[in-house]
Amino acid sequence: MSSETTQQESQTSPLKQTGWPMFYCPISQIHNAGEIARIREECKKESFWYRALPLSLGSILVTQGLVSKGIFSASPRFGALPKMAIAGVLGFAIGKMSYIGECQKKFQKIGIAPFGPQQKRHCHHTCKECEAKLGSNEKEGSVPSAS
């Protein structure tokens, strides 16, 4: 009897198991987690060294130059430091965001669908149980009401 229950538990669909994501794709488990982690770390490092750091330092230097020429006024209490800090943070954020497209291309090379608000991300690979459930929900929704 105990072997029957363990077989049933192992055969339950991912949708019925607790802890599975809401949008489960059975094919999405193909990708190696190590490869995804490697690309993510690579994107972090490259976005920092090639975009965020240069833009941050460049914006700090430009801001310092503008303050020293008198185009921006320095704070009487803190000097040019607040303006330079804001310029550095903005340059860093813009640099990180500007590298998003490059990271998307790297993920697309290994077969992961694009992500972000522009893309409608849904799985086209459904199991037979999910297709049957989806079909029954569509049939229920298409029946006209009696009122």
Side-chain angles (χ1 to χ4, degrees), residues 22-100:
M22 191 163 95
F23 300 109
Y24 172 76
C25 178
I27 306 299
S28 68
Q29 302 303 318
I30 293 172
H31 303 293
N32 185 2
E35 185 178 11
I36 293 172
R38 181 190 58 80
I39 291 174
R40 188 179 308 130
E41 285 300 315
E42 186 177 298
C43 282
K44 283 181 185 179
K45 287 178 182 176
E46 288 179 1
S47 68
F48 176 77
W49 288 109
Y50 298 136
R51 301 278 176 92
L53 186 66
L55 277 176
S56 180
L57 293 176
S59 61
I60 288 172
L61 289 174
V62 167
T63 304
Q64 175 61 35
L66 292 173
V67 169
S68 67
K69 289 197 178 221
I71 296 174
F72 285 165
S73 62
S75 169
R77 183 172 179 188
F78 299 109
L81 187 64
K83 288 182 176 63
M84 290 171 46
I86 290 171
V89 169
L90 285 175
F92 185 84
I94 291 169
K96 280 287 195 176
M97 287 187 291
S98 70
Y99 207 75
I100 290 174

